[in-house]
Amino acid sequence: EVVLTQSPGTQSLSPGGRATLSCRAGQNIGRNSVAWYQQKPGQAPRLLVYGASSRATGIPDRFSGSGSGTDFTLTINRLEPEDSAVYYCQHYGAFGGGTKVEIK
Amino acid sequence: QVQLQESGPGLVKPSETLSLTCTVSGDSIRSNNYYWVWVRQPPGKGLEWIGSINYSGKTFYNSPLKSRATVSVDTSKNQFSLKLNSVTAADTAVFYCARLDIRMPETTLFDFWGQGTLVTVSA
């Protein structure tokens, strides 16, 4: 069973800046095998990126995913206050522990 | 637009069985392209996949919960359900139902989610 480890646990950033979120798999999981989700308080998760780098419908191009093998990254450019949320990576039935992004 | 809605009791006593139903609208549950899944999230914690089912009843479960969880499907009502037996306070969580897209090689994705329902286990 694959274990996904996300880092950092929390990122505090300023509007207009860039967030770089890491998701590391405990074993090689291929090239197109990670999805990313955004979850705001009191809401269900929302799909952002699938297949490691494909944006879901309606997701702005400020969000981009990359990576392969064991290391995957979600990058959020031109941060906006509404990007404050917890972000999760996922591979089949495994979720990472999440990274909280705070925009102040 | 696909919509999923969880329903069921918000309070369950310890040692009893938690039962939830997810009603799907905007899509037929009879599709080879998707599985239908349950995910839970304890208060203040991360997401945990519980189990998945397809229209024909084929199921997969997360190993730690396999002995206590049962997911079933009712295609005539476009619904699927979760039963989790012998619950304890540790099972208190928001339970989400979701659609799992399995069409792409090497990957799956949860593309539509219900709003979630909080189930508290307490006497």
Side-chain angles (χ1 to χ4, degrees):
Chain A
E1 185 173 314
V2 174
V3 175
L4 301 177
T5 302
Q6 292 189 240
S7 62
T10 302
Q11 265 196 344
S12 295
L13 299 163
S14 298
R18 173 185 295 170
T20 303
L21 285 61
S22 171
C23 175
R24 178 161 291 176
Q27 62 194 67
N28 189 327
I29 57 174
R31 295 178 57 185
N32 303 313
S33 51
V34 162
W36 290 90
Y37 302 84
Q38 176 193 64
Q39 186 180 35
K40 297 181 179 180
Q43 297 184 16
R46 176 175 72 144
L47 177 67
L48 295 176
V49 169
Y50 63 93
S53 60
S54 299
R55 273 186 299 278
T57 302
I59 302 303
D61 61 7
R62 301 186 296 105
F63 293 87
S64 62
S66 62
S68 65
T70 59
D71 291 305
F72 298 84
T73 301
L74 177 70
T75 301
I76 314 172
N77 291 308
R78 304 184 300 280
L79 286 164
E80 300 180 1
E82 66 190 36
D83 297 331
S84 293
V86 178
Y87 293 82
Y88 294 95
C89 59
Q90 171 252 329
H91 171 72
Y92 287 99
F95 288 95
T99 290
K100 185 175 184 179
V101 174
E102 299 175 327
I103 312 300
K104 296 179 180 179
Chain B
Q1 178 77 340
V2 179
Q3 293 186 317
L4 298 93
Q5 179 67 58
E6 305 89 352
S7 59
L11 181 64
V12 181
K13 290 182 169 55
S15 80
E16 295 190 345
T17 297
L18 178 159
S19 295
L20 294 173
T21 295
C22 182
T23 301
V24 180
S25 59
D27 188 22
S28 172
I29 213 166
R30 296 188 184 98
S31 170
N32 286 325
N33 296 324
Y34 308 110
Y35 270 68
W36 305 91
V37 309
W38 289 97
V39 174
R40 70 177 181 177
Q41 184 172 38
K45 296 188 178 181
L47 302 166
E48 180 181 34
W49 167 64
I50 301 171
S52 307
I53 193 167
N54 72 356
Y55 74 98
S56 68
K58 184 173 184 178
T59 54
F60 294 93
Y61 295 99
N62 194 354
S63 298
L65 295 166
K66 187 173 184 177
S67 63
R68 297 196 294 129
T70 301
V71 181
S72 58
V73 65
D74 186 338
T75 56
S76 67
K77 295 181 179 179
N78 226 39
Q79 294 177 335
F80 62 105
S81 299
L82 169 69
K83 291 188 185 300
L84 185 67
N85 60 34
S86 305
V87 296
T88 70
D91 293 309
T92 294
V94 174
F95 286 76
Y96 295 100
C97 58
R99 189 179 81 170
L100 182 68
D101 189 326
I102 62 168
R103 288 175 289 177
M104 282 152 280
E106 294 189 315
T107 192
T108 61
L109 54 119
F110 299 85
D111 57 355
F112 289 97
W113 296 69
Q115 65 185 23
T117 186
L118 174 63
V119 179
T120 301
V121 179
S122 174

